[in-house]
Each structure stands twice: as structure tokens, then as C-alpha cells.
Amino acid sequence: MSARSDRITEAYLAGCEAPDGPLRHARASLELSETKRLSWPRLLPRPIFVDEAEYRAFGRDLVTIYELVTGLPQRMYGGDFDRFRTALGIDDRHAALMCRLLGEGPPPLYGRADVYFDGSAFKLLEYNIGSALGGLDMVGTLPKAYLKVPSVAEFAAEHGLGFLDMGSDLAEALRGAGKTIGAGEPVVAILEGPGGMARYGHQRRAIAELLAENEIDCLVGEIGDLKFRHGKPHLHGTGVDVVLRYYGLEEMLEQPDCDELLEPVFRAHEAGQVVVWTPTNVFSNKGTLAMLSEFAELFTVDERAVIERVLPWCRMLGRPGAGPDTRRIEDCVARKDQLVFKPAGLYGGQGVVIGQEVDAATWRETLEAGSRAGSLVQEIVPPNVETVIDPETGERSEWYALWAAFMTPSGLSGGGIRAIPPGGTTVITMINNANVRNTCLFTC
């Protein structure tokens, strides 16, 4: 991190030292709606600071990585999408649904990059290219809430702090999507899968609040709540122009009526009666990053420089139907403490195994099983730590920080942090780790 951001961090921590220091208790002073409090139940006691020039430069690299990933079918397979998805281990059933709305060109730039700062540079761990992005409701909204706290507002003014406003960038992206079908001010529907609102409803409603703050008319529901009138989807009686898709492919495939739920939405998109944002998540497959890493010679000098700058070494371990790659498995066994194993098509930390956190037998079993199921190995990137002062006790503690960089068609649009205290697993996911805390970023 830059010397400037380090100085600002130390200044903020100094303001948290005194038991009655207003910065120390800023989190407790946040004015948040009940919806947002339910969406962000576990907040780190302070925001994180990042050098804006450094962060935006990394954002430009993320745009390049997106362009390279979405260009892989052409670059590596002569435009043969079937060969591309087969190399990633995507079967016919998944591919048919993933690619139904893909169209001729790449999907719009929209996603979340999960990133570590290794002490000298940002390193890309995963690139979630697609619409079902966790955490975006916090980006932009939480900094605004912090700036309403007088002590934080004074600190921000003194140190020239700002933030990237994901809400306004997303609103503009959705307006642009609506214009492609002639919608002036679009009605946006945030759609979960069947039963999804029971588990994630507070988070989806928080996104709706974010969009409403940016003057977007937004509805929330499940895909099964849609009614179709002359082919156009309606939710709660209102016609929908843009669908912000939060129904995941795997959860839809578990439904006996999967095709009956998806087909009317597909047809409405194809007929120009609604825009599904975004139409596919095929490029979120983690194997795409392994392809960039392994076949860097296919790219230009400038493109290779970006790959080498931001992407850790990673390789595909295998794909469904293929036999074990014995040589690669043995290499990974020898490098156990340097590698992390990831299933190529899962998300939310599912199936991730850190080599140094398991014994040798478990690591070998994981690699051998993964080589048949579509997976990759990636060089471990050591995360940076962020110091936090407990508002109640005044004790200092260090937390591993996983950065989230959110991207829209305008480029880098915001960021957030998920953090965890050292001592347990370093897989930082909100799904199954109660120790994880969230916070926002301020730029300096």
C-alpha cells in the first residue's frame, strides 16, 4: 500500500486510541436502514483506505483481464465456443443454459474481482463475471453513511478522502440496458431463484434501496413470481424492463421445473421485451484465469505484462471425463504449501482447499478427485493485514483483508473488504464463516 494510505490509516487508528474518541465509535453512529442493517450484520469497526491512483491503475488492468477472458474463445479456439467450454469442463446441459443469451459478442463488463494485496501489488484471485454479485449493496452506501458521522466527515475533509460510487455507476448501466429495448427510465427487477428470498431477501432489498437512491424504479422477487403478458414479464403487477439476475444456474438446475421457469425469460430477452443483466456467467469459470496464466504466449507484450502483473500462477488440474494428470498432480504434491485448490465452476469458497491447511494425504486425495471433476490449482498469495481497534476494549488486532473490486461498463466502480482474524482457515467467505467482517473503502 502507498505511504499516503498507510499514514492515513495510522492517523485514523490514533483517533481510535482514546476510550471516548469519536472515531473509535463511528460504526455505532452509522445511520442505516433496517434493511441495510440486516444485510450487513457483521461490520469491521473501521473503513479501509486505499491510494486512488494505485487502485484505479489496478482497475484498468482488470478491464484488460476481462477483455482477455471474454476473448478466449476466439483467441484460443478460433471462435469455436463448444471447444472452449469443453476445455473448461462445462457439460452440454450447463452450456445450453449459460450460452442461450450470450449473443455474438462478449457480455457487458460487470463483475467483482476478489483480490489480495500482497504487500507490493494487488493480485487477482477470482473474477466473478456476471450479475449475482454479493456485497455491491455496501459499496458506495456505507461510505455515505460514514460521512454522515461528524468525526468521520471531519477526518475525511482533513485527509482528502473520497469513494467510488457503485450505486450511480450501476444505475447508469441498467439505464443503458433499458435503452436497448426502448425503455426511457427502466423498471428493474432483482430476481432470486425459488426460495432465495427466504435466505437472501434482506440483501436483495438492500440492493433495491441502493438503486432507489439513484432514482431507479426497482422491484424484488423470485423468478417464479413473474407473470407474462403477451410475452413481457411482470412482477407484482408491474412490467419489467431489466432483470438483475440473482438466480444461480446450479440452484435452477435443482428445480424440477427449471426449464419452465427459465424459458419465458429467455424468450422475452430474445424478443426485446426485457434485458437480462447479465445474460451469462460462463466467463466466471475459474479455469479461464488458468488459461491466461498457462498460455500467456498467445497474447501481446502489453497483455502479457498485465497478466504477469496481476495474476498469480495457476493451472487447470483436469476436467470431467479426463484421466488424472499424474505429472501435474505430483508437481502439486511437491508444492503443497504454496498452492490452493479450487473447483472451476463453484463459488462462495465451496470446495476450496488451502494446501498448507491440510495433511499430505488429504491434499493428494483432493488433487486426484479434482483432476476428474474440473478444477485448478493456484499459487497462494499472502494477504495483507489491517489493524483494527476494538471499540469496547481498545485492544488492537490484525485481520486478513480480502478486497472486492466491482466493475461496471464504466470500469472500476467501487470496492469493499471482507476480513477475518488470523488463526483459522484463510478461506474468506460470508457463506460459512461467522468470523468474517465487512467494511468499505475510502480513496485518498
Side-chain angles (χ1 to χ4, degrees):
M1 211 61 62
S2 72
R4 174 173 169 75
S5 61
D6 287 344
R7 287 195 302 271
I8 291 172
T9 297
E10 286 306 316
Y12 195 93
L13 291 171
C16 297
E17 291 285 0
D20 59 349
L23 288 178
R24 179 160 161 175
H25 301 284
R27 180 183 62 180
S29 301
L30 294 174
E31 295 182 7
L32 300 171
S33 70
E34 183 64 20
T35 296
K36 292 188 174 72
R37 289 194 180 277
L38 288 172
S39 185
W40 317 328
R42 308 193 300 262
L43 291 177
L44 205 66
R46 71 167 180 89
I48 303 299
F49 309 102
V50 62
D51 186 291
E52 182 168 359
E54 187 176 16
Y55 197 43
R56 286 195 180 277
F58 177 65
R60 291 190 290 274
D61 282 346
L62 289 177
V63 173
T64 298
I65 294 293
Y66 165 83
E67 292 170 347
L68 296 180
V69 165
T70 56
L72 283 171
Q74 188 65 43
R75 223 33 113 86
M76 292 186 62
Y77 300 98
D80 188 333
F81 202 87
D82 278 341
R83 289 177 59 209
F84 168 68
R85 58 92 172 174
T86 299
L88 292 172
I90 299 173
D91 60 37
D92 292 348
R93 176 64 167 148
H94 284 74
L97 297 177
M98 283 181 168
C99 304
R100 174 70 182 271
L101 303 181
L102 185 58
E104 294 298 323
L109 172 57
Y110 188 66
R112 187 194 72 226
D114 291 343
V115 178
Y116 274 160
F117 187 81
D118 69 357
S120 60
F122 291 106
K123 296 294 184 181
L124 174 63
L125 307 181
E126 298 179 10
Y127 209 159
N128 304 282
I129 297 173
S131 59
L133 304 181
L136 73 85
D137 48 309
M138 183 174 60
V139 179
T141 301
L142 192 56
K144 289 179 183 177
Y146 263 113
L147 289 174
K148 291 180 181 178
V149 179
S151 59
V152 179
E154 181 180 346
F155 184 88
E158 179 184 354
H159 295 280
L161 302 184
F163 63 92
L164 306 183
D165 191 354
M166 177 71 177
S168 63
D169 286 348
L170 176 56
E172 285 308 302
L174 296 175
R175 285 191 179 97
K179 288 177 182 177
T180 65
I181 60 168
E185 282 294 321
V187 174
V188 174
I190 301 172
L191 291 184
E192 262 292 344
M197 287 299 292
R199 183 173 183 183
Y200 300 112
H202 51 285
Q203 295 169 347
R204 306 304 167 245
R205 284 186 283 270
I207 297 172
E209 281 193 7
L210 172 68
L211 290 172
E213 291 164 4
N214 288 274
E215 301 182 336
I216 292 285
D217 189 359
C218 193
L219 308 170
V220 181
E222 296 180 359
I223 188 172
D225 297 330
L226 291 177
K227 306 297 181 185
F228 291 82
R229 301 176 188 171
H230 306 291
K232 186 172 182 65
H234 287 66
L235 184 62
H236 311 318
T238 300
V240 172
D241 301 305
V242 179
V243 167
L244 183 54
R245 178 177 57 85
Y246 270 85
Y247 46 88
L249 180 55
E250 295 300 332
E251 65 179 322
M252 293 304 298
L253 287 170
E254 292 174 358
Q255 306 301 318
D257 56 349
C258 169
D259 292 313
E260 289 80 0
L261 289 169
L262 290 173
E263 185 61 29
V265 180
F266 288 155
R267 289 200 300 264
H269 179 98
E270 291 164 342
Q273 294 183 301
V274 75
V275 176
V276 178
W277 183 272
T278 57
T280 182
N281 63 346
V282 65
F283 295 108
S284 272
N285 187 288
K286 297 177 180 67
T288 58
L289 298 185
M291 288 179 176
L292 294 188
S293 177
E294 185 166 5
F295 302 107
E297 71 275 4
L298 297 177
F299 305 103
T300 68
V301 172
D302 289 343
E303 291 166 343
R304 287 200 301 272
V306 173
I307 293 170
E308 293 169 2
R309 187 159 56 238
V310 306
L311 190 62
W313 178 95
C314 51
R315 295 290 185 269
M316 287 290 288
L317 190 61
R319 63 178 187 269
D325 186 336
T326 304
R327 180 179 298 179
R328 183 154 290 169
I329 288 174
E330 293 304 322
D331 177 60
C332 293
V333 166
R335 299 179 61 195
K336 168 181 170 294
D337 290 346
Q338 303 167 22
L339 300 176
V340 55
F341 167 91
K342 299 179 180 182
L346 298 183
Y347 62 94
Q350 297 178 80
V352 173
V353 177
I354 310 294
Q356 59 190 229
E357 295 180 2
V358 298
D359 60 41
T362 300
W363 180 243
R364 180 180 286 276
E365 290 170 5
T366 299
L367 296 174
E368 290 178 349
S371 70
R372 298 180 178 90
S375 58
L376 70 152
V377 285
Q378 186 179 69
E379 193 170 47
I380 290 175
V381 179
N384 74 300
V385 294
E386 294 289 345
T387 302
V388 170
I389 292 178
D390 187 291
E392 303 303 321
T393 67
E395 292 183 0
R396 286 191 173 222
S397 59
E398 292 185 334
W399 292 66
Y400 290 133
L402 175 67
W403 298 62
F406 289 85
M407 309 296 291
T408 68
S410 61
L412 180 65
S413 291
I417 293 286
R418 282 174 281 167
I420 191 170
T425 179
T426 53
V427 179
I428 304 179
T429 169
M430 294 297 296
I431 293 178
N432 55 14
N433 194 329
N435 291 322
V436 174
R437 299 292 182 267
N438 291 322
T439 192
C440 60
L441 291 178
F442 279 106
T443 58
C444 60

